[in-house]
Amino acid sequence: MDKYEVLQRCFGYSSFRAGQEELIDGILSGRDVFGIMPTGGGKSICYQVPALLLPGITLVVSPLISLMRDQVMALRSAGVPAAYINSTLSGSQMQTVYRNLVAGKYKIVYVAPERLDYGGFGSIVERIDISFLAVDEAHCISQWGQDFRPSYLRIVQFIDSLSVRPVVGAFTATATDQVREDVERILKLRSPVRMVTGFDRPNLYFEVRKPQSKDAELIRLLTSRRSKSGIVYCATRKKVEEVCQLLLDRGYAATRYHAGLEEEERTENQEDFLYDRKTVMVATNAFGMGIDKSNVSFVIHYNMPKSIEAYYQEAGRAGRDGTDADCILLFSTNDVRTARFLIDNSSDNEELDEAQREAVRQQDLRRLDSMVGYCKTGDCLRGFLLEYFGQKHVAVCGNCGSCQTDLETVDITREAQMILSCVRRVSDRLGYYVGPAMIARVMQGSREKRLLELGLDDLSTYGLMKTMGRTAIRGMIDHLEAEGYLFTEQEHQTLRLTEKAGQVLFHGQQVTMRRKVEKEEEKAPTVVSVQKLDPQDADLFEVLRSLRGELAREAQMPAYMVFSNATLTDMARKKPRTMSEFWKVSGVGEIKANWYGRQFLERIGSFLAEQEG
Ligand code: ADP
Ligand code: MG
């Protein structure tokens, strides 16, 4: 097998995303690699594909032990022999894993950093052939990152202790230079293949709102997203408790996560969310690292986070499967105070001395400034984020709260006739042309002195647009000029009719204009690509979704692990009738096709038969 076959057969994807192939090629040719990709960019594939092609075992060091089981389950469901080693395994489970490991039964093994040099594992590493060591969430090794984990420093000792150094790969979504340097230096990467892919996530919609009442705003936002899965981030544990209670009172299937809860409850709540038993997770920033639930369709920040890094990482947990998702931040000036307080009182890192701590504090304050800047800017929000990460971008992304995305086409034929006829009547009366400002005043019925002196107030077009604002009228005049019905004479800056104007005035030619939709109470719920499906395809999607639910319950795994929403959407569009057509659906690999293909094909078949019958 080659990398393309692995990608297709195990993961069901037909092409690599930006950066993946270069990193994989690097690893396969024996080079160290350093992959910096945004959350949701597809870092896992970068070590999972080589793992299946290299002769020995791939170890993946990951910080969040509670998620390893899910990751391993997802791999196994794709037919990849995988296991994990962390403190949640019982003694006998651990022995089984070690035995299988030595017997060469696994290709990928996830290891918690603190287990690397721990008793049992330490004693068998020399009996296994480690081809590749992947360090996921590699920023955890840097004190400057937001998630410094001292246990990550053990990775270096571990590598040094091996008689044969494996290829080492580091992966992170953190883009700041300092963290990048730390990762390379501390992990001692050997002239790695570096890939920094674009940080843009086009399917994410960004918006900042400054509501009077955050509670009311949150409820409004959730009402139009009832059946969707999402995360609400709050700054403090207390706020998590309050907001979660608010949602429960309103009948939402909400759960909560913060560091003040018992380990057991945290795990349970997290799983409720992953398995879609609960749709809304209310959490502090303690929740989420390594979460790769692919169907999170919104991330709402009830409070402003402390930095753009944190915000982008948290917001980035939405829309991982590529379908449209919303990232909405509810801002109030109080948030700035809370964030400052949290920075000033952050739990002291005992590994830092006084001067270092102060340096960290100063840096945190600078980061906070940028975050506040994001909340206050009137410019393109995506542009602001990309700028922060040093990436080029277009001025207007068209998919954020600042860009005027909600445009509608309106018929302004009547208004156009009024304006054009006004221009004609004014020049008939005066014998010369006037500028656009005077035309707008006449239309509006202004009592301005010069207008009255000229007697323009007894024209039949005087005051025809009384109810309209000056800017709206000027907007239409500009539009008529852009469309070639009017032109501005350069010397006197006066507005004149063109020949084309006659078609509107005398032959009723239609004039349309694109303009911003007036903001209603709530913008229409996100157009998830599911809703972009034709009605018939959307029905089929629902059929497939309920089958997915049945299969997931049977197998006791989260629904998105059977197939992602993106995969079901593609399936509903392609409507495969045969196994070979089924394979062509994005996200369908060989193993999953074998496991689920027949059942999905049956449902699709009977759905189509009903439609046709
Ligand atoms: P992260 O970089 O945050 O670790 P993941 O590895 O969890 O991202 O991948 C995010 C999502 O993208 C997953 O649902 C994954 O299956 C999907 N994905 C990764 N690579 C590809 C690809 N080449 N084509 C289509 N989807 C992909
Ligand atoms: Mg990841």
Side-chain angles (χ1 to χ4, degrees):
M1 278 211 288
D2 64 15
K3 61 188 175 191
Y4 301 107
E5 274 178 86
V6 171
L7 185 71
Q8 180 64 58
R9 289 173 62 171
C10 296
F11 302 99
Y13 300 129
S14 51
S15 60
F16 286 106
R17 286 193 186 155
Q20 288 179 330
E21 199 166 0
E22 292 84 346
L23 291 167
I24 291 168
D25 287 344
I27 296 160
L28 292 177
S29 70
R31 299 250 327 250
D32 283 359
V33 301
F34 190 8
I36 300 165
M37 297 178 175
T39 308
K43 291 183 283 293
S44 322
I45 291 281
C46 300
Y47 53 78
Q48 289 167 345
V49 168
L52 290 168
L53 293 167
L54 291 165
I57 289 163
T58 290
L59 293 183
V60 181
V61 181
S62 165
L64 274 200
I65 59 175
S66 51
L67 290 162
M68 287 185 183
R69 203 172 58 96
D70 287 327
Q71 273 151 0
V72 165
M73 201 150 71
L75 282 170
R76 286 190 185 157
S77 79
V80 179
Y84 61 91
I85 298 172
N86 64 35
S87 54
T88 66
L89 294 182
S90 68
S92 68
Q93 286 173 318
M94 198 83 87
Q95 289 314 315
T96 310
V97 172
Y98 288 159
R99 229 183 1 259
N100 289 340
L101 191 55
V102 174
K105 291 204 176 147
Y106 303 126
K107 289 307 289 180
I108 301 187
V109 177
Y110 283 78
V111 196
E114 62 276 9
R115 287 277 141 174
L116 284 172
D117 52 3
Y118 196 80
F121 188 68
S123 69
I124 62 158
V125 285
E126 284 307 326
R127 292 159 60 197
I128 58 178
D129 170 21
I130 305 170
S131 294
F132 177 38
L133 182 100
V135 183
D136 205 0
E137 315 285 358
H139 56 277
C140 290
I141 208 165
S142 166
Q143 291 175 350
W144 303 102
Q146 321 138 52
D147 306 294
F148 174 54
R149 297 194 179 218
S151 61
Y152 256 54
L153 296 169
R154 297 191 196 194
I155 299 172
V156 193
Q157 293 154 21
F158 175 76
I159 297 172
D160 288 345
S161 77
L162 296 172
S163 52
V164 181
R165 183 183 182 279
V167 171
V168 179
F171 302 90
T172 179
T174 304
T176 54
D177 286 342
Q178 194 155 28
V179 174
R180 283 186 209 175
E181 279 162 27
D182 273 5
V183 170
E184 286 201 26
R185 184 176 48 80
I186 300 173
L187 272 180
K188 299 188 216 164
L189 296 182
R190 298 184 181 168
S191 55
V193 176
R194 292 186 198 87
M195 278 308 299
V196 185
T197 62
F199 270 68
D200 191 13
R201 299 273 311 278
N203 62 316
L204 299 186
Y205 167 84
F206 292 97
E207 188 179 338
V208 177
R209 295 190 182 192
K210 293 151 191 149
Q212 290 287 332
S213 154
K214 289 194 180 187
D215 285 355
E217 190 70 18
L218 180 64
I219 296 295
R220 259 200 295 281
L221 286 167
L222 292 184
T223 309
S224 55
R225 293 170 176 79
R226 260 226 186 245
S227 57
K228 307 252 171 65
S229 190
I231 306 172
V232 178
Y233 277 111
C234 303
T236 62
R237 297 175 191 183
K238 183 162 164 283
K239 205 71 222 175
V240 168
E241 295 292 336
E242 289 169 16
V243 171
C244 187
Q245 194 55 50
L246 169 77
L247 299 186
L248 290 172
D249 290 346
R250 296 301 187 99
Y252 285 93
T255 185
R256 63 200 170 139
Y257 190 104
H258 60 70
L261 300 174
E262 294 291 329
E263 170 76 29
E264 203 175 314
E265 192 193 340
R266 279 207 307 259
T267 310
E268 193 180 311
N269 294 353
Q270 173 168 309
E271 297 210 333
D272 280 346
F273 180 63
L274 292 179
Y275 283 71
D276 296 320
R277 292 190 288 263
K278 298 285 166 67
T279 53
V280 184
M281 169 59 88
V282 186
T284 60
N285 60 6
F287 176 76
M289 186 168 38
I291 292 274
D292 57 4
K293 182 174 166 66
S294 67
N295 64 340
V296 175
S297 85
F298 62 86
V299 171
I300 297 173
H301 278 77
Y302 191 94
N303 300 109
M304 177 190 70
K306 285 182 287 180
S307 68
I308 300 265
E309 282 93 341
Y311 180 64
Y312 206 56
Q313 196 152 50
E314 287 158 18
R317 292 182 181 127
R320 279 188 171 228
D321 62 1
T323 51
D324 292 348
D326 295 334
C327 308
I328 298 171
L329 194 162
L330 304 182
F331 175 76
S332 76
T333 38
N334 253 338
D335 289 337
V336 187
R337 234 166 295 153
T338 310
R340 271 200 90 104
F341 179 84
L342 291 174
I343 288 173
D344 288 338
N345 295 278
S346 67
S347 55
D348 283 347
N349 190 332
E350 65 278 2
E351 287 173 47
L352 302 181
D353 64 31
E354 194 59 38
Q356 284 171 322
R357 266 202 288 268
E358 181 53 24
V360 169
R361 203 180 78 89
Q362 289 305 327
Q363 189 180 29
D364 285 348
L365 290 174
R366 277 196 299 278
R367 286 183 177 158
L368 176 61
D369 276 345
S370 303
M371 187 69 240
V372 175
Y374 174 82
C375 295
K376 295 196 167 163
T377 186
D379 294 342
C380 172
L381 293 174
R382 185 184 313 280
F384 191 99
L385 294 168
L386 294 177
E387 187 85 37
Y388 184 82
F389 293 118
Q391 193 179 318
K392 287 207 178 67
H393 56 88
V394 294
V396 174
C397 76
N399 190 28
C400 76
S402 298
C403 295
Q404 306 189 348
T405 52
D406 295 349
L407 298 175
E408 59 183 353
T409 303
V410 286
D411 185 321
I412 57 158
T413 308
R414 253 176 60 79
E415 289 85 349
Q417 285 170 340
M418 292 177 191
I419 291 171
L420 297 177
S421 119
C422 184
V423 172
R424 207 165 70 99
R425 279 166 210 276
V426 169
S427 76
D428 282 354
R429 166 69 56 95
L430 303 177
Y432 57 86
Y433 289 99
V434 298
M438 181 59 89
I439 297 296
R441 273 187 221 119
V442 175
M443 298 304 307
Q444 230 193 352
S446 152
R447 306 297 302 163
E448 193 243 356
K449 195 162 141 250
R450 201 167 94 83
L451 185 156
L452 299 176
E453 281 167 10
L454 293 171
L456 297 180
D457 56 333
D458 60 43
L459 289 178
S460 60
T461 51
Y462 178 78
L464 276 183
M465 293 184 168
K466 254 199 190 89
T467 55
M468 223 178 270
R470 178 90 43 101
T471 29
I473 300 173
R474 282 299 295 266
M476 278 192 271
I477 293 175
D478 290 347
H479 179 69
L480 291 175
E481 183 166 358
E483 292 293 300
Y485 300 109
L486 291 170
F487 78 97
T488 302
E489 185 273 325
Q490 286 308 313
E491 203 189 327
H492 302 99
Q493 292 292 307
T494 54
L495 202 58
R496 302 176 178 210
L497 296 178
T498 64
E499 220 165 292
K500 209 175 147 188
Q503 295 167 7
V504 178
L505 278 172
F506 311 117
H507 305 288
Q509 181 175 309
Q510 194 193 28
V511 183
T512 60
M513 181 176 171
R514 303 269 294 156
R515 71 166 180 214
K516 197 175 173 191
V517 179
E518 293 303 315
K519 266 246 186 309
E520 308 133 43
E521 259 308 87
E522 170 51 38
K523 104 176 174 31
T526 330
V527 194
V528 178
S529 9
V530 175
Q531 290 162 333
K532 284 183 195 148
L533 289 171
D534 297 340
Q536 192 212 359
D537 294 355
D539 289 347
L540 178 55
F541 177 89
E542 287 307 321
V543 169
L544 300 176
R545 190 159 79 138
S546 86
L547 173 60
R548 176 180 69 178
E550 290 165 32
L551 295 171
R553 270 191 298 282
E554 241 166 63
Q556 297 191 321
M557 54 161 102
Y560 67 87
M561 271 187 205
V562 174
F563 285 129
S564 70
N565 282 349
T567 298
L568 291 193
T569 304
D570 197 43
M571 203 181 291
R573 265 201 202 108
K574 291 191 174 135
K575 303 179 203 44
R577 289 180 183 254
T578 65
M579 201 49 115
S580 62
E581 284 172 6
F582 193 68
W583 271 337
K584 294 195 182 121
V585 174
S586 170
V588 173
E590 187 169 274
I591 303 289
K592 287 197 182 175
N594 286 341
W595 279 1
Y596 307 122
R598 201 179 40 76
Q599 282 144 300
F600 278 92
L601 286 173
E602 260 170 32
R603 289 282 165 105
I604 295 168
S606 53
F607 177 86
L608 292 176
E610 245 172 64
Q611 299 288 315
E612 284 153 14

